[in-house]
Amino acid sequence: DDQPPKPRPLHMTCSLFMRSIAPTISKAEIVALCRRYPGFMRVCLSEPQPERRRCWVTFDRRQHQRDLLELTEHPSPGVNRDLARRVRNINGITQHKQVLRNDIKLSAKLIHALDDRERLWGRGDTHTAELPAQNPILKNITDYLIEEVSAEEEELLGNAGGVDSEDGNKEGNPTEITVERDEKLVKVLDRLLFYLRIVHSIDYYNMCEYTSEDEMPNRCGIIHVRGPIPPNRITHREVSDWEKTFEDKLGPLFSVKETLSEEEALKMGRKDPEQEVEKFVSANTQELGKDKWLCPLSGKKFKGPEFVRKHILNKHGDKIEEVKKEVEFFNNFLMDAKRPSIPEIKPLP
Amino acid sequence: TESVKRYNEYKIEFRRQQMQEFFLAHKGEEWFRSKYHPDESGKRKADAHAALQNRLRVFQYLMENGWFDNISMDIDRAPQILKILDAAVIKMEGGTENDLRILEQPLEEE
């Protein structure tokens, strides 16, 4: 028959939550354990903080939750509840056109920074040749940032510098304004905000990022939106205070992965690959007696240290590579300014 | 002064030592290797990038199919916004046009 197949409720999952998984357990082990249960989808592990990780195991909703409770022999999983109130509102001052315009500016900046960091668009990279070099939703965005005013008309009618001008935020200016919404700006802004929310997992109006959302039970869970228009008139001061606070709180989302400066890296003891290879060679050049040198890697004997050296470099290239990788491994950790560590003991006041 | 300088040196040395101890304690663990080891971090980065590109494709699909056309991010549109989030998830999971129809059907609770 030509009936289309029954649509699948792929947006509905059910999941288990485990409060404490030791860092020594690998994701693969948890996957192997859970894969035996029908409807298994994915595992998400948080970063250790400091010695335990939280873990979410996601299953297809069509698999009944009760079957999953068999898993209880393992670190006390609980059934993870569905998200309540997925759409939440914030202050309706965000509907005001000046705030809308400021939010277009900020969210466009944020998209620029994140697209750049993740190399999401072309930029000459052949692997992503199917994508244009620039994000199309940012095209002509600056047009909307320019304020359109009827300054000439007002001048002619003798109203210049009237209370309508948006820069009326002078010290002590108590002017109250009505929240004015501009549908054109709303449309442009919302496209940017949906992009941030869906692609980068950034909930703009909540000023936060949902890390590893793609691995979590809800791949696009909560969103914050504009609340109803405030019942009372607002002041210019309120508008500018709102914008300032918002911009400050948004700041951390811009941060690219921070690395140490050259000077700090040296202070902290960044290793030099060549030096470490030298150390490895000399540690494996053992003098047994006069004109008798041993390479413990192979057990071969040589007449002088220079022969052992040559031998190690020629015959044990894989070990040398391993040393270099270990150096890179260590340096990558060292260079990460936000590297995990045991929590600092707070100094006494 | 000399004592401040020495104290600063002590602090750096202390941090350095702690960092080295942390490295030795965790270098064998998967989460740590996938973050920093040259062989394993590449795979993690590639996975994360692929996931992001999948989400980008979902956004483009929703945009091209008019999902954002008559919607605004206002609280009185909450049900419609929720529907967009669910549609996004269905597409992220590889759902088809047909699967999206489930959002039009009344919810059947098991």
Side-chain angles (χ1 to χ4, degrees):
Chain A
D1 46 331
D2 280 350
Q3 280 282 310
K6 212 170 175 268
R8 299 166 291 170
L10 296 170
H11 58 303
M12 295 169 82
T13 58
C14 60
S15 51
L16 297 178
F17 172 60
M18 291 176 249
R19 201 170 294 284
S20 180
I21 299 283
T24 45
I25 295 175
S26 75
K27 190 168 169 176
E29 286 172 83
I30 302 173
V31 169
L33 177 74
C34 299
R35 175 170 277 156
R36 298 179 302 185
Y37 296 86
F40 168 74
M41 291 171 77
R42 57 180 174 266
V43 168
C44 180
L45 276 164
S46 73
E47 279 203 4
Q49 29 180 289
E51 288 300 328
R52 62 191 182 84
R53 292 173 299 171
R54 286 158 297 148
C55 174
W56 291 264
V57 187
T58 307
F59 295 87
D60 190 317
R61 179 69 144 230
R62 288 161 290 181
Q63 170 68 25
H64 205 283
Q65 294 188 9
R66 235 166 312 178
D67 303 343
L68 298 174
L69 288 175
E70 283 180 47
L71 277 165
T72 41
E73 51 184 299
H74 301 285
S76 61
V79 172
N80 189 32
R81 240 186 246 124
D82 281 338
L83 295 173
R85 273 189 58 224
R86 288 173 60 196
V87 182
R88 294 160 182 253
N89 65 300
I90 60 152
N91 195 331
I93 197 174
T94 43
Q95 295 205 39
H96 185 52
K97 66 177 178 189
Q98 192 186 333
V99 180
L100 291 170
R101 199 177 286 127
N102 190 52
D103 284 333
I104 292 178
K105 190 183 80 190
L106 287 176
S107 54
K109 229 168 97 183
L110 193 53
I111 291 174
H112 256 304
L114 295 173
D115 282 358
D116 248 16
R117 182 178 81 187
E118 309 292 345
R119 300 210 177 84
L120 216 44
W121 299 87
R123 293 189 206 293
D125 187 343
T126 47
H127 295 291
T128 48
E130 73 270 20
L131 288 172
Q134 208 219 343
N135 190 337
I137 64 166
L138 293 180
K139 216 178 139 205
N140 299 332
I141 209 78
T142 45
D143 291 358
Y144 298 96
L145 300 177
I146 299 162
E147 191 192 339
E148 284 175 20
V149 292
S150 5
E152 187 179 5
E153 192 177 312
E154 283 175 21
E155 177 72 27
L156 294 174
L157 297 172
N159 292 335
V163 286
D164 269 358
S165 75
E166 288 189 48
D167 54 5
N169 185 28
K170 294 180 195 99
E171 206 59 50
N173 185 349
T175 322
E176 288 192 334
I177 45 171
T178 319
V179 173
E180 246 186 293
R181 189 178 153 100
D182 180 330
E183 290 304 328
K184 223 167 53 192
L185 294 179
V186 165
K187 198 146 188 50
V188 173
L189 175 63
D190 287 354
R191 181 93 12 129
L192 302 177
L193 301 190
F194 272 119
Y195 179 85
L196 281 171
R197 183 64 195 85
I198 292 173
V199 181
H200 290 292
S201 301
I202 298 259
D203 190 354
Y204 181 83
Y205 281 132
N206 197 31
M207 299 155 280
C208 74
E209 178 183 5
Y210 302 122
T211 39
S212 344
E213 184 177 43
D214 211 57
E215 297 179 311
M216 293 285 278
N218 284 285
R219 283 189 144 169
C220 206
I222 288 173
I223 191 168
H224 285 71
V225 301
R226 293 179 292 267
I229 287 189
N232 303 318
R233 286 157 70 85
I234 51 170
T235 64
H236 285 300
R237 167 58 58 79
E238 278 175 83
V239 171
S240 59
D241 282 356
W242 173 270
E243 288 181 352
K244 172 142 190 5
T245 315
F246 202 86
E247 200 164 343
D248 287 349
K249 287 195 185 159
L250 214 56
L253 295 182
F254 283 90
S255 71
V256 193
K257 187 186 171 207
E258 287 167 46
T259 56
L260 296 191
S261 69
E262 195 66 14
E263 189 196 359
E264 282 174 303
L266 287 175
K267 263 192 205 158
M268 290 302 283
R270 185 174 58 187
K271 291 179 179 168
D272 173 46
E274 294 309 315
Q275 255 176 39
E276 294 303 310
V277 166
E278 281 311 311
K279 279 188 207 162
F280 178 78
V281 170
S282 48
N284 285 293
T285 306
Q286 291 177 6
E287 187 171 16
L288 297 177
K290 195 177 177 305
D291 292 337
K292 224 174 170 189
W293 295 75
L294 172 75
C295 160
L297 299 171
S298 56
K300 282 192 180 146
K301 293 184 183 87
F302 298 87
K303 282 205 170 110
E306 67 277 19
F307 299 113
V308 182
R309 185 191 158 75
K310 226 171 140 184
H311 161 79
I312 291 177
L313 293 178
N314 283 332
K315 300 285 173 192
H316 298 293
D318 50 334
K319 300 258 171 28
I320 300 288
E321 278 314 300
E322 230 165 87
V323 171
K324 286 184 183 162
K325 264 187 191 149
E326 189 77 6
V327 172
E328 203 184 331
F329 185 18
F330 179 79
N331 286 345
N332 285 344
F333 169 61
L334 178 142
M335 290 303 288
D336 181 4
K338 291 181 190 151
R339 78 181 90 83
S341 63
I342 48 173
E344 290 219 14
I345 303 147
K346 289 225 170 73
L348 292 169
Chain B
T1 62
E2 186 62 23
S3 58
V4 171
K5 201 178 137 214
R6 281 179 57 176
Y7 176 61
N8 283 334
E9 274 165 15
Y10 160 79
K11 274 200 300 193
I12 288 172
E13 187 49 40
F14 181 73
R15 272 174 54 213
R16 199 164 130 156
Q17 217 164 33
Q18 274 208 320
M19 183 199 67
Q20 280 173 351
E21 276 163 22
F22 193 93
F23 182 80
L24 289 176
H26 298 282
K27 60 181 269 194
E29 293 166 5
E30 180 204 50
W31 72 272
F32 190 77
R33 296 181 77 83
S34 76
K35 234 171 130 84
Y36 300 112
H37 194 279
D39 289 343
E40 285 143 70
S41 65
K43 191 191 170 298
R44 184 172 120 133
K45 270 185 216 136
D47 286 350
H49 191 71
L52 210 57
Q53 279 183 319
N54 183 39
R55 294 179 78 101
L56 176 57
R57 276 191 296 272
V58 168
F59 176 82
Q60 285 172 315
Y61 172 90
L62 295 175
M63 193 161 75
E64 281 155 21
N65 288 274
W67 282 79
F68 304 129
D69 286 355
N70 294 304
I71 186 75
S72 64
M73 279 202 188
D74 292 286
I75 193 67
D76 55 352
R77 308 299 299 274
Q80 292 92 327
I81 294 169
L82 202 57
K83 210 162 115 181
I84 293 180
L85 298 187
D86 285 339
V89 174
I90 289 176
K91 291 304 287 181
M92 285 174 201
E93 299 287 3
T96 61
E97 196 104 0
N98 183 49
D99 292 322
L100 289 175
R101 284 175 43 232
I102 195 118
L103 300 175
E104 309 303 332
Q105 297 174 357
L107 203 65
E108 40 180 286
E109 264 308 321
E110 52 278 47

